[in-house]
Amino acid sequence: MYDFIGDIDGHADELRQLLVKLEYEQHDETWSHQQRKVIFLGDYIDRGPKQKETIDIVRGMVEAGNAIALMGNHELNAIGFSIATADGKGFLRPHISKNREQHQKFLDEFPFGSSKYKEVIAWFKTLPMCFETTNFRAIHACYDSRQLEVISDHLGEEYLINDKFLVEAFTVGSQLYEAIEVCLKGIELDLPAGMSFLDKDGIERHNVRCKWWDPQLKTFKEVAIISDENIRVNLCDKELPANAIAEYDNLKPVFFGHYWHRGETPQKLSDFAACLDYSVASKDLTIGKLAAYRMGNESRLDNDHFVYVDSMYAKSN
C-alpha cells in the first residue's frame, strides 16, 4: 500500500508531522511503516528553511526501501545549474540572478561545488520522472503519454536522466527538452492571436497553464489554471486546437504535485486525478499545507483518504 506526498519545498518540520500523522515511525534515522510505503512526488528543495533535513528524510527512506522519490522540476533545475556548458562559459541552467535567487535556499545549505553539493546532485540524477503500477500513475506535473514515450525513447523505461542526454534535456526546442518541460512543469498553451490577460502580479500573459487531467474541458476558458475567476471570465471561449492536450484516459488514478493550490482543503480533482501540492511554502503564511493521499484498494479516488498538516507558519499566525 502507498501514501503519496506532495511538494515539500524544504519544509522538513511539516514532513515529520505528516509522517507521524500517517503513522510512520522513526528508527535508526529513517522513517518506516510496517505495511505502507511513501511515493514522494518531487520538489524537495528551494523556498523552505530546511533543505538538508528534508533531503535527509526523503533520501533515507528511499535508501531503506521505505519510499520512492520522483524528480520534480526543482531537482532537474538543480542538475542543470550544476553542469558547465561545453565551452566552459556558462551552465546548462544559466546562473542569472533570477535562477540563483530561486535556488538560493538550497545553495545556502549546499555550497556550490562543495563535496556535499556534488553528492546530492548525483542523487538527484537517480530520481525517476514517472512511476506507474497496474493500480496508479505518479508524476510531478503532467502525465502525457506522448511525451513520456519521447522520454523513455531517450532515457529508458525507468525515466532516469543520464549524462548522455543532459545537454539535450536542457536545449530549448529539442524533442527531449519539450517532453521533460511538459511532464515536470505542465502544459502551457498559447492563446489565440491578439488574446492575453493580466495575471495577479499585473504581468501580461499570452499563454495559459492547462488542466490536462480533465478530458471534458474543451475551451481555453475551461482548461486554464487560473484561481482568480475575475480573470477567467474574460478568457477566450474558443475551442482548443485539435490534439493540443493528450487527454487523460481515466483508466487509473494519477497523482501529481506542482500546481500550488492555495487556501483549499485537499480533495480530488476528479475520480482519477489528485494534486497534492497545497502550497506549504506559500508566502501567505496562513494557508500552507503539506498534503498526502493514503491509497487503499480503491479504483476511484476518495476524499476521505486525504491527510494533511498545516504549515508551521500557519500555526504561529
Side-chain angles (χ1 to χ4, degrees), residues 4-290:
F4 301 83
I5 294 180
D7 304 35
I8 305 164
D9 296 323
H11 285 256
D13 291 335
E14 290 86 342
L15 177 56
R16 292 189 189 92
Q17 288 191 338
L18 184 58
L19 288 170
V20 169
K21 196 167 185 178
L22 291 167
E23 300 175 317
Y24 285 74
E25 297 181 350
Q26 187 175 17
H27 299 288
D28 298 326
E29 299 185 358
T30 191
W31 293 78
S32 64
H33 191 288
Q34 289 186 348
Q35 285 125 6
R36 305 188 68 85
K37 179 182 286 191
V38 170
I39 295 182
F40 293 105
L41 298 173
D43 279 9
Y44 315 111
I45 63 170
D46 300 333
R47 297 195 176 100
K50 296 185 177 181
Q51 308 285 304
K52 183 179 183 302
E53 289 184 29
T54 298
I55 291 171
D56 286 348
I57 294 169
V58 173
R59 185 176 178 181
M61 291 182 69
V62 171
E63 293 178 348
N66 300 325
I68 295 167
L70 302 185
M71 184 179 288
N73 59 296
H74 281 259
E75 289 72 52
L76 181 72
N77 288 345
I79 293 170
F81 194 90
S82 74
I83 298 173
T85 54
D87 61 10
K89 296 180 179 180
F91 292 83
L92 294 184
R93 182 167 174 80
H95 288 197
I96 59 177
S97 58
K98 176 178 71 72
N99 292 345
R100 182 174 287 277
E101 181 179 348
Q102 290 174 349
H103 201 37
Q104 193 59 52
K105 291 287 184 68
F106 177 78
L107 296 173
D108 288 344
E109 294 191 47
F110 293 88
F112 185 79
S114 66
S115 58
K116 65 178 184 178
Y117 175 87
K118 293 177 181 177
E119 180 186 355
V120 78
I121 294 296
W123 182 68
F124 288 163
K125 293 180 182 179
T126 71
L127 304 177
M129 297 184 192
C130 183
F131 183 75
E132 183 169 351
T133 72
T134 56
N135 298 320
F136 64 82
R137 296 159 172 153
I139 198 163
H140 180 63
C142 175
Y143 187 93
D144 184 315
S145 57
R146 298 176 302 187
Q147 303 297 355
L148 284 167
E149 184 175 352
V150 172
I151 294 173
S152 66
D153 285 345
H154 285 77
L155 305 181
E157 293 182 356
E158 293 184 342
Y159 306 107
L160 293 173
I161 196 75
N162 60 63
D163 291 342
K164 179 180 178 181
F165 290 102
L166 266 173
V167 173
E168 186 176 351
F170 285 92
T171 300
V172 176
S174 76
Q175 193 178 31
L176 181 59
Y177 172 89
E178 298 299 337
I180 292 174
E181 282 283 296
V182 167
C183 293
L184 295 192
K185 299 182 183 179
I187 297 174
E188 291 190 2
L189 293 180
D190 291 335
L191 291 167
M195 298 295 298
S196 66
F197 67 95
L198 297 180
D199 68 13
K200 60 182 177 60
D201 297 317
I203 299 172
E204 186 176 13
R205 302 291 185 182
H206 296 272
N207 54 32
V208 291
R209 186 176 282 180
C210 299
K211 299 176 183 176
W212 55 268
W213 54 85
D214 189 342
Q216 302 303 313
L217 305 181
K218 302 297 183 183
T219 70
F220 285 93
K221 181 181 292 186
E222 291 172 337
V223 81
I225 299 176
I226 296 177
S227 58
D228 189 335
E229 288 302 316
N230 292 322
I231 295 175
R232 180 186 300 282
V233 295
N234 294 314
L235 277 183
C236 177
D237 280 316
K238 186 176 180 179
E239 287 200 4
L240 302 176
N243 301 315
I245 297 176
E247 294 182 353
Y248 189 66
D249 56 23
N250 285 346
L251 293 179
K252 49 189 169 183
V254 59
F255 299 90
F256 50 95
H258 188 64
Y259 293 102
W260 273 65
H261 293 272
R262 292 174 172 87
E264 307 167 39
T265 299
Q267 58 187 308
K268 63 185 180 181
L269 299 172
S270 74
D271 285 343
F272 299 97
C275 179
L276 292 171
D277 184 357
Y278 280 83
S279 307
V280 69
S282 174
K283 292 180 181 179
D284 182 340
L285 304 183
T286 65
I287 64 174
K289 298 176 178 64
L290 182 62

